[in-house]
Amino acid sequence: MDFERLINASKTYVFRKSVPAGESGFIEHSLVAHGTVENVKIRFAAGENGTLRIRPVVIIPQEIMIDLFTYAEGGDKYISGDDETVSSSVRYEIENNAVLRVFYENHGEPGSADSQVNVDIEVTYFQITEPRNIIG
């Protein structure tokens, strides 16, 4: 298999999960090289009514967790909404073996419809090596 080196390559990491009422946890993706987290987009479904709480972070080696949004002092550290999209340009440097993690918590009433985690995080790598892309 042939490989090629890509400079300033951007990738969007997609986080999707169905979350029943009362469930919490996280989903994550390991990053493969040095670069920057550029953008975070969170979409909330109509009828969500703020019951789904999302907290996107990046964890750099040595288990240093960095929030991708800055929250007010004394406030809660999550994003919630109803029939809306929250999008923010960010610029956090990452290194090899960092992890993107999206925490979720569904505060819906028992028996209510599942909430849907719908988060996209864009990362630009300074340089990565990938299998050669053969087009036409």
Side-chain angles (χ1 to χ4, degrees), residues 6-73:
L6 303 172
I7 307 295
N8 293 324
S10 291
K11 293 189 172 278
T12 300
Y13 293 95
V14 176
F15 297 83
R16 302 288 188 272
K17 182 171 177 62
S18 181
V19 182
E23 184 176 307
S24 63
F26 63 85
I27 47 181
E28 66 182 20
H29 195 285
S30 296
L31 301 174
V32 297
H34 287 72
T36 56
V37 176
E38 301 283 341
N39 192 11
V40 180
K41 186 185 329 182
I42 304 169
R43 287 181 290 280
F44 294 98
E48 197 66 61
N49 296 323
T51 58
L52 180 64
R53 298 176 178 179
I54 300 290
R55 182 180 179 196
V57 302
V58 63
I59 301 171
I60 59 175
Q62 307 307 317
E63 297 300 313
I64 300 168
M65 188 167 77
I66 300 167
D67 279 298
L68 295 178
F69 289 92
T70 302
Y71 305 95
E73 284 189 36

Side-chain angles (χ1 to χ4, degrees), residues 87-124:
S87 184
S88 183
S89 295
V90 297
R91 188 118 176 119
Y92 286 103
E93 189 168 344
I94 52 139
E95 44 188 90
N96 192 23
N97 298 319
V99 173
L100 292 174
R101 183 175 289 171
V102 175
F103 290 97
Y104 57 83
E105 190 171 5
N106 184 346
H107 284 269
E109 293 295 321
S112 62
D114 291 359
S115 292
Q116 302 299 317
V117 172
N118 189 333
V119 178
D120 299 334
I121 302 175
E122 181 184 342
V123 172
T124 299

